[in-house]
Every structure is written in structure tokens, then in C-alpha cells.
Amino acid sequence: MDRRKIICVVFGMMTLPAVAQTDSVSKSIQLKEVVVAGDMAKREVDHIDCIPTPKQRKHAHSGFELIRNMMLAGVNVDIENGVITTPAGTATLYINGRKASVREITSLRPKDILRVEYYDMPTGKYANDKAVMNYIVKTYTSGGYTQVDALQGVGYLKGGYNLTSKYSLGHYNVNLWAGGSVQNPKVYGETTTDYLLDNPIHKQEAAYDTDMKSIGRYVNASLSRRTERTTWMIRSGVEVSTRRDDVLNGSLEYTGYTIPLSFTNNVLEHDKTVKPTLSLYFNRNFKGGKSLECSLDGYYARNTYKRNSLEDRVFLSDVKEDYTYLNFNSSYVMPLPKGHNLTFSLIEFLKISQDEYRGSSPSLQHLRSSESLFFVDYAKRWGRKVMLVARPGVSYLAYKLRGEQEVTHLAPRFYSMFSWSPNQHQALQLFFALGNTFPTLNTVNAAEQQVDRVLVRRGNPTMDNSTLLGPALTYSLNFNKWSSLLSANYEYMSNAIADVFLKDNNRLINTYSSDTRYHQYQLLLSATWKPMSDFNVKWEGGYDYYRVSGAADERLGCCYARMEASYYLGDFSLSASAQTARKDLMGCQERVHLPFLYDLSAEWSHENLSVIITARNLFIQGNERTRSLLASNYQCYRRDVSERDNSFASVKVAYSLDYGKKVNHSPKYESKAAESSILR
């Protein structure tokens, strides 16, 4: 190892405590400029072609890890949850122009990825996405492979086990996925709650022994056919997940009554979901660059939820739900002469839930909601320097709860983008968005749940539609070994949803209100340094400020920093990442404090076998997360010390066996949590 390499590695590692990189708590950040040293990134009119280096490919084992290794300025990759975030929102994932699931990207073999197209101004078939990562992979006509991988945690129970198999024959591909996961971190928690009634009640609870075990299993198969003109795919399977969040031992005390009440803290909370899924995809390319794309994704979920809280009497929530979800998406792309382009998009969401509430407050809820969206996307290009995009549209929302009148909202939508690149090293981009959203299904209902002897949770079926407004600016500057990005965002939401607490004699009713105005300001500065192909380092710093008024009243500002560094040496690689402690606002009123976190990783990879050892938060045992919610008539503060935020290590082994001619890696099926309208 020469002196230059040693200096770079030492410099990168010494800066770890001061700056940080996080994947798990990063805010929405948009990929605006992709820069790879040398000629590894080429700027096109509406996107950037990114070609990973051989070492970045060798030491990556998924599409997410490959993006992380490329150290793109302004990009954060959450590998565990499968999310790539950018300053304007989460990037949508594609494989060869077809929308892909998280599992598909997770199981892509980097050696089969030719390049990654980043669309920072999505148009055409990508017109409805904020940002796009399109993985261009090799296609084969014969052969197959089978791959197994296993992850085992050291410190608490955590494991993940997957099998993927694929076979290609001519234009056809057959895929099979199966696997499971399990985790059970221990959590010590303390919660202080004040019910500000006419005679205030103070509740103090602690959890000494918890059981938070979650298990997931899935099996799925697909059949696809791809030709130069037509691509179609059918995919189906079933997923089963169970979760329990039990407090087995603890203390619980009420003061404010004539005599203080003391109990053993005992809460049993169980969830189970059985979810068959179906996905259909079709794409047809016509002459002149025209194309038609249609997709249908749907599932049926049988959800059960049971919560048993024992004091001097039992407070029971017992819910069974039948939930159906369908999403139809179609787009027609029509290129026009002289740099003009038109795209027509039609999107439909349908959600139907049937909930049977038993226990302390029995009821039967039936909710149907649908949203129809239509967009016309117009794009105009002037050479390689200037591009303008305008996307007018309309949204029609309708939802009906049994026993209530149907609620409908017709709202305009509009999105525009402008980009100016004076030369190959700079780009200035402006964005403006006008949209709408509607209350989540688990708040729009008439159900009621008794949480404890004071608090009752109740839905609200009469909330208003929310309007969103968001301008943004991004400036990027790139040179051979350095790249940087400056991003400023503002988001406003009217009729945002907030918790409200109403007095009802000796009870407190927790319901929801849409009489809230939400403001969020974001400033991000990101820089990447690549002095050599063996060593890369990225720094980021930002400031977030929240202001909420109306049904909730909050002001919160926070600075944060993060960093990551990687070093490659033959079959071995070393990497590190860290994030400073930070504050965040969840929803409109819950303050969350996240601790300082870091991780170290070492990997050995040779041919088809890889071993990765990861250590997180070594020598840290006192990390804690805090949550607080302050509202009229109600105050709550919670502190949790979890094994997930303290010293933990894991070992992952992956092996693949190729047979016949080598083929591109089969995409893993995305095991995604089912939606639910259950009031919890």
C-alpha cells in the first residue's frame, strides 16, 4: 500500500466523529447530480448515465449497495429498508424501464448492471416520479442460477434468510423467491403521561421485560417475456407476517385520584397479516418513439390486531379486517418534433376495508376509498443546456364510510421543472409542485378504542382534503475528484392531520383534526471526494425547521451532519458511516430525538462467495430515543433504550451457483407491509 493511499484512509477515518452519514433517519432528499471520477458519469438532456467502477461492483451485492458505493452527492441509501432519498422525495426504482420493487433491486447482481440512469428531471414514462433510478442490466436468453444468503445477528435475535432462483429460455424468464426473517430486540422504556382534566391525572409507567418479536415469511413466483417491442410479466405469491409487542414486566402508577393506583405493567399486543398478492405489467413500443405502458398491482390482506392491557380490569382491542388494495397505472408517451414531448397518464387507487371491532368498544366499520388522477406532461428541450417541464393534472377523491355520506374532492395538480446547465460542471434546477392528499384510512372512521382508564381513541370521518405546495432549488458543481450539491426546499400543507384531545367528564378523547397548517424548510449541503478509485468519502450537513399552527402548535429547528467512507483492497473492503444526534418532527406534533449512531463494516468477496461483517455502535450501551407530544389537555414523554441503537454485530454470507450460461440476477420479490384502516 503506497503512502498516498494510507494518508487518504487515515484522513477519512479521523473525521468520522465530527460528521455523519445515516440511512435510517435521513429526510427526503432528491438526487440532483451524479458525479463519478473521470468519465464514469455522462450528462444527458434529462438524465445522467452513471457507470460504476469495477471495484464498486465487486464489493456490492445489491442495487442499493452499488448506489451507496458510488458515493453520489446528495443521495442517501437506506439499504435495510430499501429506500433511496433525494431533496425532493424518494427516488422511484426501475429495471430496464420497468418499475421494480425493493426486493428486485435488493437482489440485483452488480456484475450484471451495465449502468444506472438517474433522471433528475423525469419526463415521458417517468413523468409522475420525483426522481428515478433506472438500472440497465444485461439480458440473457439461456441459463440460470440459484442464490442463497443468510444474515445472523450477534447481540440480539436477528436473522434474514433468502433463496432466489431464475431460469431464462429465449425471451422467457421464470423466477422463484422464498425466504424469511426474524428479530426480537429488547427495549427498556419509561413513559410519563399527564391527562389535564379538571382533576389532572398523572400516569407513570415503565417496562423492564419486553418481547418484541416479529417474523416474516414469503414465497413468490413470476413469468415474464421480453422482446424488442413488447414486455409483459405476471407475478403472484403470498406473504405471512406476525408481530408481538409485549410488556411482560413493569410498573404502572396513577396519581391524582383520591388514592394512588399501582399495578404491574402488563400489555400484550399482537398483529398478524396473511397477504396474497398479484402483479401484472405490459409495455408496448411503437414506431416514432411512442409507447404504451400499463400495470396492475393488488393484494388482499387478512389483518388481525389484538391489544390486551391489564390494570384492575382488562382494556381489550380485538379487530379483524379484510382489506383489498388495487392500483392501476397507465401512460402513453408521444414524442413531438423540435424537442417537444407529450405524455398522458391515468392512475387509479382503490381501497376497501371491512373491520370488525370487538372487545371494549364493539363496532363494524366498512370504508371504501378511491382516487383517480389524470396528468398531461409537456417537456421542451433547447439543446443540452435548457429544459422546461410542465405537468398539469387533476385529482378526484371519493371515500365513504358506512352510515356516513360520501366525501368527494376534486382538486387541481400542477408540477413544473426548469433546468439550466451553462457547462458540463454546473447545473441549476428549479421546481414547483401543487398537489393534494387525503387523511389516512386508519383515522377516517367512526371506531372507538379504550386505551386505558382515562384515554379513549376515536376516529374522525369528516376531515378535509389537504393541499400541498412546494417550491425547491438545487445547484450542483462537479469536477474530476470533487462534487457538491446545495439544495433548498420549502413545503406547505393546509388541512394537515393532527391529534386533538377533548375532555369528556373523567375521560379524555383522542381524535383527529384537519384544522392544521404545516410548514417545513430544508437546507442541505453535500460533498463527495474521490481522490482515487480505492478510496471515496462523502460529507453532508443540513438544517431542518418545522412550524405548525392551528390544531397543533409546534416550532422545531435542527442541524445535523453525516459521513461515510469506503476503502477497497483486492478481495477486501472497509467502510464506515456515522450520523450526529438530531431532532425530528413526526407528523405534525410528535418530537423525536435520535442518538448518535455509527457502523463499521468489513467484507471479503471472491467469485460467487461473499462474507460481510458489520458492527454498529461498538462500545455504546446508553443510546436512547425520546418522543414527546404536547397538546391541549395532554402531555406525553417517552424514553426507550433499545438493543437496535446500541452495540450490535451481524454476519452475512451469500453464495450463488450459476448453471448453463450466466444470466442476470433474478429480482427478489418485495415483502411489503400491508396497509390497514384499523384504529390503533
Side-chain angles (χ1 to χ4, degrees), residues 372-388:
S372 303
L373 302 103
F374 178 74
F375 292 97
V376 178
D377 181 84
Y378 169 77
K380 169 62 177 175
R381 305 167 183 172
W382 290 270
R384 292 182 174 269
K385 292 187 176 182
V386 180
M387 183 174 181
L388 176 66

Side-chain angles (χ1 to χ4, degrees), residues 406-426:
E406 184 178 39
V407 178
T408 61
H409 294 284
L410 182 65
R413 289 200 177 190
F414 182 76
Y415 190 70
S416 63
M417 301 180 289
F418 173 79
S419 176
W420 177 51
S421 301
N423 53 53
Q424 61 179 346
H425 301 297
Q426 300 180 77

Side-chain angles (χ1 to χ4, degrees), residues 324 326 347-352 367-373 395-400 406-409 436 438 441 465:
T324 303
L326 290 173
I347 306 169
E348 173 67 27
F349 295 93
L350 176 64
K351 304 173 183 179
I352 302 173
L367 178 63
R368 174 186 54 81
S369 72
S370 66
E371 185 177 21
S372 303
L373 302 103
S395 167
Y396 179 74
L397 167 69
Y399 61 88
K400 186 180 187 307
E406 184 178 39
V407 178
T408 61
H409 294 284
N436 70 302
F438 57 95
L441 296 181
N465 191 36

Side-chain angles (χ1 to χ4, degrees), residues 461-661:
T462 60
M463 290 184 288
D464 292 328
N465 191 36
S466 300
T467 300
L468 295 88
L469 184 70
L473 176 149
T474 298
Y475 173 72
S476 56
L477 183 64
N478 319 289
F479 292 101
N480 188 31
K481 296 181 180 180
W482 282 93
S483 65
S484 60
L485 175 143
L486 176 65
S487 174
N489 289 338
Y490 167 71
E491 180 181 341
Y492 168 76
M493 181 186 298
S494 67
N495 297 328
I497 307 302
D499 287 75
V500 293
F501 298 84
L502 309 175
K503 296 180 182 179
D504 181 20
N505 295 323
N506 60 344
R507 302 191 309 172
L508 201 62
I509 307 299
N510 173 201
T511 186
Y512 306 95
S513 171
S514 58
D515 186 21
T516 310
R517 291 165 296 283
Y518 173 91
H519 306 262
Q520 180 182 2
Y521 307 83
Q522 291 182 307
L523 184 66
L524 172 71
L525 177 62
S526 177
T528 299
W529 181 42
K530 301 179 179 180
M532 60 185 69
S533 61
D534 292 337
F535 179 72
N536 304 319
V537 62
K538 182 172 75 171
W539 298 269
E540 263 187 8
Y543 177 74
D544 291 344
Y545 180 74
Y546 303 90
R547 181 165 61 89
V548 182
S549 60
D553 188 6
E554 286 291 343
R555 304 289 188 278
L556 178 64
C558 174
C559 294
Y560 62 90
R562 45 187 176 241
M563 180 212 168
E564 63 181 61
S566 296
Y567 176 72
Y568 307 105
L569 181 63
D571 289 341
F572 295 90
S573 71
L574 301 173
S575 62
S577 69
Q579 67 170 30
T580 59
R582 63 176 296 179
K583 299 176 183 178
D584 205 351
L585 189 69
M586 304 297 292
C588 290
Q589 58 197 142
E590 186 177 21
R591 295 182 176 222
V592 179
H593 181 270
L594 305 169
F596 169 81
L597 301 172
Y598 77 95
D599 65 72
L600 305 171
S601 180
E603 176 190 330
W604 175 80
S605 181
H606 183 74
E607 295 182 347
N608 290 344
L609 179 63
S610 300
V611 180
I612 306 101
I613 300 175
T614 302
R616 297 179 180 175
N617 311 312
L618 281 181
F619 314 113
I620 295 179
Q621 295 297 333
N623 262 346
E624 64 180 34
R625 298 192 180 207
T626 63
R627 295 175 177 264
S628 61
L629 195 157
L630 306 179
S632 177
N633 304 322
Y634 178 85
Q635 296 181 358
C636 182
Y637 176 83
R638 178 170 178 170
R639 180 178 71 91
D640 288 327
V641 179
S642 172
E643 291 181 323
R644 286 177 293 195
D645 295 328
N646 291 283
S647 294
F648 171 73
S650 65
V651 178
K652 182 177 181 179
V653 178
Y655 177 75
S656 64
L657 174 65
D658 296 332
Y659 39 87
K661 295 183 178 179

Side-chain angles (χ1 to χ4, degrees), residues 195-248:
Y195 302 120
L196 304 180
L197 302 168
D198 294 335
N199 295 315
I201 303 297
H202 178 79
K203 179 182 179 182
Q204 184 75 38
E205 53 187 322
Y208 310 134
D209 184 17
T210 62
D211 185 6
M212 303 179 64
K213 190 173 185 179
S214 60
I215 301 174
R217 297 178 294 273
Y218 68 91
V219 60
N220 204 271
S222 76
L223 173 66
S224 62
R225 186 178 189 272
R226 179 184 177 91
T227 65
E228 184 178 352
R229 291 264 183 189
T230 305
T231 301
W232 59 260
M233 182 192 70
I234 301 174
R235 184 177 62 201
S236 182
V238 64
E239 304 169 19
V240 179
S241 62
T242 59
R243 182 188 68 89
R244 59 176 180 255
D245 188 356
D246 298 343
V247 178
L248 304 177

Side-chain angles (χ1 to χ4, degrees), residues 228-229 284-292 332-338 340-342:
E228 184 178 352
R229 291 264 183 189
R284 174 70 176 178
N285 298 319
F286 303 98
K287 294 181 179 180
K290 299 177 182 179
S291 66
L292 174 66
Y332 180 72
V333 180
M334 186 171 63
L336 300 175
K338 298 182 179 180
H340 300 265
N341 191 80
L342 273 179

Side-chain angles (χ1 to χ4, degrees), residues 110-302:
K111 67 180 181 179
D112 291 331
I113 300 174
L114 299 173
R115 67 183 188 279
V116 179
E117 296 176 344
Y118 160 61
Y119 287 82
D120 52 0
M121 294 188 68
T123 61
K125 66 183 296 179
Y126 309 123
N128 296 311
D129 301 314
K130 296 178 180 179
V132 168
M133 284 286 190
N134 182 30
Y135 294 82
I136 306 300
V137 303
K138 300 175 184 177
T139 57
Y140 299 88
T141 58
S142 64
Y145 84 96
T146 297
Q147 176 173 294
V148 293
D149 64 75
L151 180 145
Q152 188 63 51
V154 180
Y156 69 87
L157 176 61
K158 182 175 182 178
Y161 318 96
N162 301 283
L163 179 145
T164 305
S165 187
K166 176 175 181 176
Y167 191 81
S168 297
L169 181 62
H171 296 295
Y172 291 91
N173 292 282
V174 180
N175 300 269
L176 174 67
W177 308 271
S181 62
V182 60
Q183 62 174 330
N184 190 3
K186 296 296 183 181
V187 178
Y188 169 79
E190 293 180 348
T191 304
T192 301
T193 308
D194 288 296
Y195 302 120
L196 304 180
L197 302 168
D198 294 335
N199 295 315
I201 303 297
H202 178 79
K203 179 182 179 182
Q204 184 75 38
E205 53 187 322
Y208 310 134
D209 184 17
T210 62
D211 185 6
M212 303 179 64
K213 190 173 185 179
S214 60
I215 301 174
R217 297 178 294 273
Y218 68 91
V219 60
N220 204 271
S222 76
L223 173 66
S224 62
R225 186 178 189 272
R226 179 184 177 91
T227 65
E228 184 178 352
R229 291 264 183 189
T230 305
T231 301
W232 59 260
M233 182 192 70
I234 301 174
R235 184 177 62 201
S236 182
V238 64
E239 304 169 19
V240 179
S241 62
T242 59
R243 182 188 68 89
R244 59 176 180 255
D245 188 356
D246 298 343
V247 178
L248 304 177
N249 186 25
S251 62
L252 173 61
E253 182 175 349
Y254 289 93
T255 56
Y257 292 101
T258 304
I259 300 175
L261 304 175
S262 297
F263 309 100
T264 298
N265 192 8
N266 186 274
V267 179
L268 305 179
E269 184 173 330
H270 294 183
D271 285 276
K272 183 176 181 180
T273 296
V274 180
K275 188 177 73 171
T277 64
L278 176 67
S279 178
L280 306 175
Y281 173 83
F282 175 81
N283 181 83
R284 174 70 176 178
N285 298 319
F286 303 98
K287 294 181 179 180
K290 299 177 182 179
S291 66
L292 174 66
E293 181 177 87
C294 300
S295 64
L296 177 67
D297 291 293
Y299 62 81
Y300 163 79
R302 177 64 168 174

